[in-house]
Amino acid sequence: MDNPLIIFLIGLGIFALFLWYFGTDSARKKRGIGTFLAFALTAFCLWAVNPPGEKIQKGIDLQGGSSFVIALQTAPGSEREITSDAQQQAIGVIEKRLNPEGTVDLLIAPQGEDRILIQMPGITEEEVDKVKKTIETTAKLDFALVHQQSAVLVPQIDSGNHIEPGWTVRDNIGSEEGERLLVKVRPDLEGKYVKRAFAQLAPTGWMIILNFDSEGAGKFGDLTAANVGRRLAIIMDGEVLSAPNLNEAIYGGSAQISGRFTVDEARSLASALENPLENPVKIIQKYEVSPTMGESTIKQGVAAGLSGLAVTLLFVLIYYKFAGIVALVGLTVNIILLFGAMAMFGFTLTLPGIAGIILTIGIAIDANVLIYERLREEMKAGKSLPTAIDAAYAKAFSAIFDANITTLITAIILFNVASGTVKGFAVTLTIGILASLFSALVVTRVCFGWATESGVLKKLSLLNIIPERRIDFLGKRRACFVLSCLLVAMTLVIFGVKKQDTLGVDFRGGDLLTVKATSEVTEDDVLNAISDMGLEQQPVVQTLQAAGEGEFIIVRSEFETGDQILEEIRKDLGQDFKDATSERVGPVIGREMAKSSLLALGFGIVGIFLYVTVRFEFSFALGAIVALLHDISIALGIVVLSGRELSLILVGAFLTIAGYSINDTIVVFDRVREGLRSKRGEVADVMNLCINATLGRTLLTSLTTLITVGSLYFFGGPALNNFAFTIIVGVFIGTYSSIFVASPIVLWWVRTRKKNLRREILDAEQAAVNPAGTP
């Protein structure tokens, strides 16, 4: 699958078959094309994903490793701007340092104009510090003469009794006595002439050999010849590595640095000197996961997925019987297509991506529920089974399509705006939505077509646990209006009181440490262990029980304090805490994430509003957007009230809530528009009738979504607990708003503006049928 031309031609052929499928009126042809598409795509994806362990790339959060975002800094005293050339130079240098032999699993890529992303899967905690030091070492090498009266003048300068213009005092780290030397401010020779550096073992220990290029060899020879008998300091990044005496002129084109080096230090320093950075760099974001924590995360994700899938399928099989088996077939194809597409296009599976897969299961089941509840109504109307199936799919199509497209809009926006592992959620959700549309509208219909045509399915029975009632929902709109206003006001008050405390590490910067305890540890135990560290702000400590995985400790602290806290609690609590995840976000990048997250939410809401306005009348678009804003604002308030902090993954959760809110509302509005086209009576009466008619669907889709997301909450571990909680809150609020908020807003608008909603719908339908306006 490495040939893009083959993938393109296959995609083109599949697209042509889709056009043929939806364009033909022949049930026989539709069944044949649909069958071919289902088998061909399933087989193709099975081939693409096999073997899954090799074809599906796992993110750092699942396999362990470290990820860094570094920012290029302007060199001290330099006014030169950071350019794309400087960025590329830094990328080349860092790659040579970290992967000199080309055998290390390494991803290094530019981000923006002055940042670089570095990902190293599989490295251990012991290797992380070495990697950080390797990355941040600028390795600016200089050669400067030592003042002949250095020993006399340095104490006078340190005490403030003397100033020596053109000279500066630097530490000699190669000296055992902690010597300080007075060296020239402007170097006598720059290190840019060094073409090769390597470590070598000498009788006195490890040293570094420097080889100059031809120009540098001449300059170094002249410098040493003119200063025989003096000391020459070899300076890297402002520190003196060594300062040997020049006993004679050195014209051989090489120099040596001796000191108290270990073999690793000598090799690392030689690599840095051979690959110096033009600009200093600073780590502004770090994400580190131990390999054992990655394995634990995979177990949690698999447990959450399988438990959610098992309970959902059991419910569907019991409730819909034979139709539930058809849904199972469609869901199986859905999952195969999802993993096949990920393998084919090289997408990386992350922990948020697993959340997207589990959410996809809920979306796929929702589509089947919409079809089957329509099928129940058509059979109740006395239609034959084949006719009822055709009518159910035809009438459910618009609601399923609109609901999935609005969720797709939010997923695409999240993918373009989000960063890091959250993109994995957007990827799996996007692929899952497209796969759900195919499995629900094509695969399950083909199954029903063959079952009825062959005579295997002659009669279909469905359970019904939701009794038919006539509830005056709109009559309760004033009480619900008051309730909604109070809940929104609660959100405003909470944010007004907590302010920045509502933001997590992702948005305000700091360190986030998650460790798995091997024995019981309380929050007070952790706080007592770090009480003597002298931190400016007291860290926030939480403990969390994950089903089947034990207890996790979560610590939020100041920037660049997480490593020290981990070391302190290991020492004080007597546990090794090898299962650990560490995240570090600088204040600047935190503010940028907060800004991009607000943009993502804003663009998502605007995108949904534009789609719904084009797809429906403005009255319905207004009701949908008000309900959406209502759901997000109340969910925000409840999440913060529960003691949780807003993070980047929760942006994905709130955009998912936006999609879910619109899904529920569209199902109701689709039936309201249908009712106003075909039924007489007051708009409010027709709306009540339609809300009652869709109540079973609304409650069942909410239930199936809650089952899948509930599995994330109970089995997904600390990383997905807040995400799942947010979605659960959103499902409850979205169900409430689709019944008690969206339709009352539409009714209020048409009455206030004295509009004829029924006429607007009929005119819009006529315009769609006859856009040119011809008779």
Side-chain angles (χ1 to χ4, degrees):
M1 293 316 301
D2 294 332
N3 192 325
L5 179 61
I6 295 177
I7 294 177
F8 173 76
L9 291 175
I10 292 173
L12 193 63
I14 291 171
F15 181 69
L17 286 173
F18 269 110
L19 291 178
W20 191 9
Y21 176 85
F22 287 106
T24 183
D25 292 326
S26 168
R28 187 168 173 271
K29 286 182 179 179
K30 192 179 286 287
R31 187 165 60 248
I33 297 168
T35 303
F36 177 80
L37 278 171
F39 276 104
L41 281 175
T42 303
F44 186 57
C45 288
L46 281 172
W47 176 71
V49 79
N50 189 52
E54 297 179 9
K55 294 296 183 68
I56 299 292
Q57 303 175 33
K58 295 194 290 285
I60 282 176
D61 52 353
L62 296 183
Q63 63 174 314
S66 291
S67 172
F68 306 90
V69 175
I70 63 173
L72 273 65
Q73 312 285 308
T74 303
S78 172
E79 296 181 359
R80 184 172 58 182
E81 293 184 358
I82 296 171
T83 63
S84 59
D85 289 340
Q87 186 185 48
Q88 290 301 320
Q89 189 267 349
I91 288 174
V93 166
I94 292 171
E95 185 166 13
K96 287 178 183 177
R97 290 183 184 179
L98 296 177
N99 193 16
E101 306 298 329
T103 57
V104 177
D105 188 3
L106 170 70
L107 168 67
I108 180 167
Q111 273 196 349
E113 298 178 353
D114 63 347
R115 292 177 186 169
I116 300 170
L117 170 68
I118 303 168
Q119 290 188 341
M120 299 188 71
I123 65 171
T124 63
E125 183 183 342
E126 291 74 20
E127 296 172 307
V128 170
D129 288 336
K130 180 182 175 184
V131 169
K132 284 164 57 181
K133 186 175 180 181
T134 302
I135 291 171
E136 291 189 309
T137 300
T138 306
K140 186 180 186 304
L141 182 67
D142 291 314
F143 298 85
L145 290 168
V146 178
H147 198 290
Q148 290 175 311
Q149 301 296 320
S150 175
V152 175
L153 294 177
V154 167
Q156 297 178 20
I157 294 172
D158 285 344
S159 64
N161 296 323
H162 182 76
I163 296 176
E164 191 73 13
W167 297 79
T168 185
V169 177
R170 298 193 185 279
D171 291 321
N172 183 5
I173 62 173
S175 167
E176 293 184 8
E177 297 79 18
E179 183 183 27
R180 287 167 61 77
L181 298 174
L182 186 62
V183 301
K184 282 187 177 181
V185 172
R186 179 174 292 181
D188 294 281
L189 182 67
E190 292 181 325
K192 63 182 181 181
Y193 299 107
V194 174
K195 69 176 182 180
R196 186 166 180 246
F198 58 92
Q200 181 173 295
L201 182 61
T204 56
W206 283 94
M207 64 173 59
I208 297 157
I209 307 298
L210 305 177
N211 288 338
F212 296 98
D213 59 20
S214 57
E215 183 181 358
K219 288 179 179 291
F220 187 71
D222 293 341
L223 174 64
T224 56
N227 294 281
V228 172
R230 295 185 62 177
R231 295 179 71 184
L232 181 66
I234 303 172
I235 305 168
M236 188 184 79
D237 294 344
E239 292 183 320
V240 178
L241 298 178
S242 67
N245 284 307
L246 299 175
N247 297 320
E248 59 183 356
I250 305 172
Y251 279 106
S254 66
Q256 65 183 37
I257 305 173
S258 58
R260 295 168 297 163
F261 301 123
T262 65
V263 58
D264 287 339
E265 288 172 342
R267 287 173 177 170
S268 178
L269 183 57
S271 175
L273 291 172
E274 195 171 72
N275 302 287
L277 286 167
E278 292 180 357
N279 296 85
V281 298
K282 182 179 180 182
I283 296 175
I284 59 174
Q285 186 178 14
K286 178 176 78 76
Y287 183 66
E288 178 186 338
V289 181
S290 67
T292 50
M293 191 70 154
E295 292 176 10
S296 177
T297 300
I298 292 176
K299 290 178 183 177
Q300 293 164 8
V302 170
L306 291 179
S307 59
L309 180 63
V311 177
T312 303
L313 290 180
L314 182 62
F315 170 77
V316 170
L317 288 171
I318 293 173
Y319 196 75
Y320 291 116
K321 301 180 180 179
F322 181 84
I325 298 175
V326 174
L328 174 59
V329 172
L331 186 58
T332 303
V333 171
N334 187 345
I335 294 173
I336 292 172
L337 294 182
L338 197 160
F339 281 104
M342 290 192 68
M344 200 182 312
F345 295 105
F347 292 126
T348 300
L349 180 64
T350 62
L351 185 60
I354 292 177
I357 293 170
I358 295 171
L359 204 57
T360 294
I361 296 171
I363 292 172
I365 295 298
D366 285 355
N368 286 298
V369 169
L370 288 172
I371 294 168
Y372 294 167
E373 290 303 306
R374 272 287 188 176
L375 180 57
R376 186 197 305 277
E377 294 175 14
E378 298 301 324
M379 290 191 300
K380 186 179 178 182
K383 295 180 181 178
S384 65
L385 183 57
T387 305
I389 290 172
D390 289 340
Y393 276 91
K395 291 182 178 180
F397 175 83
S398 61
I400 293 172
F401 183 81
D402 289 332
N404 280 274
I405 289 299
T406 50
T407 305
L408 186 62
I409 289 171
T410 61
I412 292 172
I413 288 171
L414 184 63
F415 177 80
N416 284 281
V417 176
S419 61
T421 57
V422 180
K423 278 186 181 289
F425 171 73
V427 166
T428 54
L429 189 59
T430 300
I431 299 173
I433 290 167
L434 297 175
S436 294
L437 282 170
F438 174 73
S439 62
L441 298 176
V442 177
V443 175
T444 58
R445 187 166 187 178
V446 166
C447 290
F448 275 120
W450 283 113
T452 53
E453 179 69 19
S454 63
V456 172
L457 181 63
K458 297 179 180 179
K459 185 179 179 182
L460 191 64
S461 62
L462 309 169
L463 286 181
N464 187 10
I465 60 174
I466 302 174
E468 293 184 11
R469 292 182 179 178
R470 187 72 179 272
I471 304 171
D472 183 13
F473 290 111
L474 291 178
K476 299 172 175 57
R477 63 183 182 275
R478 289 181 177 83
C480 292
F481 174 79
V482 173
L483 175 61
S484 294
C485 286
L486 288 174
L487 290 173
V488 172
M490 173 200 72
T491 298
L492 296 175
V493 170
I494 290 171
F495 274 84
V497 172
K498 288 199 168 188
K499 297 179 182 177
Q500 279 201 343
D501 290 341
T502 61
L503 303 179
V505 167
D506 291 343
F507 297 143
R508 62 177 175 180
D511 283 19
L512 180 64
L513 176 68
T514 303
V515 295
K516 183 178 178 182
T518 54
S519 59
E520 185 178 354
V521 177
T522 66
E523 295 173 8
D524 288 338
D525 291 337
V526 177
L527 288 172
N528 290 334
I530 59 179
S531 60
D532 297 331
M533 289 182 61
L535 301 175
E536 292 183 12
Q537 297 179 1
Q538 179 171 300
V540 177
V541 180
Q542 288 181 315
T543 56
L544 176 70
Q545 288 286 343
E549 289 294 330
E551 185 178 39
F552 290 87
I553 302 166
I554 303 169
V555 184
R556 299 170 184 83
S557 62
E558 303 167 42
F559 185 60
E560 295 186 329
T561 60
D563 293 341
Q564 298 97 305
I565 289 174
L566 179 57
E567 185 179 339
E568 198 68 27
I569 62 175
R570 277 175 171 167
K571 180 176 65 176
D572 199 85
L573 300 181
Q575 296 189 36
D576 56 17
F577 294 115
K578 286 188 176 180
D579 293 354
T581 299
S582 174
E583 183 176 1
R584 176 172 298 162
V585 180
V588 174
I589 205 168
R591 288 192 293 270
E592 291 177 1
M593 283 185 175
K595 182 180 177 181
S596 64
S597 298
L598 285 174
L599 286 174
L601 280 172
F603 286 145
I605 292 169
V606 170
I608 290 172
F609 178 72
L610 291 175
Y611 179 81
V612 177
T613 302
V614 171
R615 189 70 181 82
F616 297 99
E617 294 72 34
F618 178 79
S619 303
F620 289 108
L622 179 66
I625 289 300
V626 170
L628 183 153
L629 293 172
H630 164 277
D631 296 349
I632 291 179
S633 61
I634 294 176
L636 271 167
I638 293 176
V639 167
V640 173
L641 185 64
S642 69
R644 290 167 169 83
E645 295 176 336
L646 303 181
S647 61
L648 195 58
I649 185 63
L650 291 194
V651 176
F654 288 118
L655 280 170
T656 304
I657 290 173
Y660 182 83
S661 173
I662 289 293
N663 290 0
D664 251 9
T665 303
I666 281 176
V667 170
V668 176
F669 282 178
D670 194 64
R671 178 55 70 91
V672 169
R673 294 172 80 246
E674 181 184 328
L676 289 172
R677 282 196 301 264
S678 59
K679 292 180 174 60
R680 296 180 178 273
E682 290 291 327
V683 172
D685 294 334
V686 175
M687 280 186 167
N688 258 326
L689 186 66
C690 294
I691 294 172
N692 277 280
T694 57
L695 183 62
R697 245 172 295 180
T698 300
L699 296 179
L700 285 172
T701 53
S702 297
L703 177 61
T704 53
T705 304
L706 284 173
I707 290 173
T708 54
V709 180
S711 68
L712 270 181
Y713 180 78
F714 290 108
F715 300 104
L720 292 180
N721 182 271
N722 290 347
F723 174 87
F725 177 83
T726 304
I727 297 291
I728 290 170
V729 170
V731 169
F732 280 108
I733 301 297
T735 304
Y736 160 78
S737 70
S738 67
I739 298 171
F740 294 104
V741 176
S743 293
I745 290 292
V746 176
L747 183 63
W748 167 80
W749 176 257
V750 297
R751 285 181 173 177
T752 302
R753 297 292 175 177
K754 294 182 170 54
K755 291 180 175 290
N756 188 330
L757 187 58
R758 184 178 277 108
R759 174 48 52 195
E760 282 187 10
I761 294 170
L762 294 173
D763 289 345
E765 188 178 75
Q766 181 62 32
V769 174
N770 188 15
T774 55

